[in-house]
Amino acid sequence: ATLSLLLLTLTLSGSPREWSVESVPNVQRADRTQLVTNPDGLLSSAAVDSLNAMLVPLKEQGLAEVAVVALGSIGSDDPVSFRHRLFNHWGLGNKDADNGLLVLLVEDQGAIEIETGYGVEGLLPDALCKRVIENLMIPHFRAGDFSSGMVEGVGALALVLQGADPAEVTNGEE
């Protein structure tokens, strides 16, 4: 009985957990200074600390309510649909300002998604978000470095929200 239990344990731990919108832990509920959900440990603790240090001031200044979510798997769910449903499920952003921002990484699908509320869409239009992903995040992700890609990409988004020139922070024309 012990041997079969051990084999079952090895089999279960070998396959990544598949997250649903409802099962993703919202770390902000327990601690307002934690804005990065990283249940599968895809991001280093230093990256999580760096991201929180960048994002908490945005929230405190009322510029944006940001959540960064790094997941190993969402099964066969579509990352774009998952991103949109998670954004709404968590109610990201101030209700009046609609200033939510969600950055979602799904490792097994190689997906990086950005969802913006209408209140930040003017500062972070789709074209800008695409440049951030392509120029700042994907090169690191391809090298297997999720932490650096997330810190650099989210850092650029944070700078734009604080008034920086988008072309300067994304290595692209505006």
Side-chain angles (χ1 to χ4, degrees):
T2 306
L3 179 61
S4 59
L5 180 62
L6 177 63
L7 290 174
L8 180 63
T9 304
L10 290 174
T11 305
L12 290 176
S13 65
S15 56
R17 174 172 181 167
E18 291 182 3
W19 296 96
S20 69
V21 167
E22 295 75 24
S23 70
V24 176
N26 186 345
V27 295
Q28 294 184 42
R29 288 208 175 116
D31 182 345
R32 297 173 51 96
T33 66
Q34 299 300 308
L35 307 179
V36 181
T37 297
N38 184 37
D40 298 318
L42 298 176
L43 306 175
S44 69
S45 58
V48 170
D49 291 345
S50 180
L51 289 163
N52 282 322
M54 278 184 243
L55 301 176
V56 168
L58 295 177
K59 186 176 181 179
E60 290 173 349
Q61 296 164 16
L63 296 174
E65 185 177 305
V66 185
V68 174
V69 179
L71 304 174
S73 179
I74 57 171
S76 60
D77 205 340
D78 172 57
V80 174
S81 172
F82 190 94
R83 166 197 88 198
H84 184 69
R85 294 190 330 267
L86 184 63
F87 184 93
N88 289 324
H89 181 68
W90 283 3
L92 286 172
N94 175 291
K95 194 171 188 127
D96 296 326
D98 197 8
N99 61 348
L101 174 65
L102 171 66
V103 180
L104 171 68
L105 168 68
V106 181
E107 180 188 30
D108 70 346
Q109 293 191 33
I112 179 72
E113 298 288 334
I114 299 174
E115 177 95 4
T116 58
Y118 290 116
V120 295
E121 198 171 42
L123 291 171
L124 302 175
D126 290 345
L128 174 64
C129 291
K130 182 179 179 191
R131 276 201 315 277
V132 167
I133 290 169
E134 290 176 352
N135 296 348
L136 304 178
M137 299 174 108
I138 289 177
H140 292 288
F141 294 168
R142 283 196 178 124
D145 187 354
F146 297 118
S147 294
S148 294
M150 198 64 88
V151 168
E152 192 169 335
V154 172
L157 297 172
L159 287 171
V160 171
L161 287 168
Q162 293 169 322
D165 180 347
E168 288 182 18
V169 298
T170 63
N171 304 326
E173 301 78 40
E174 188 51 29

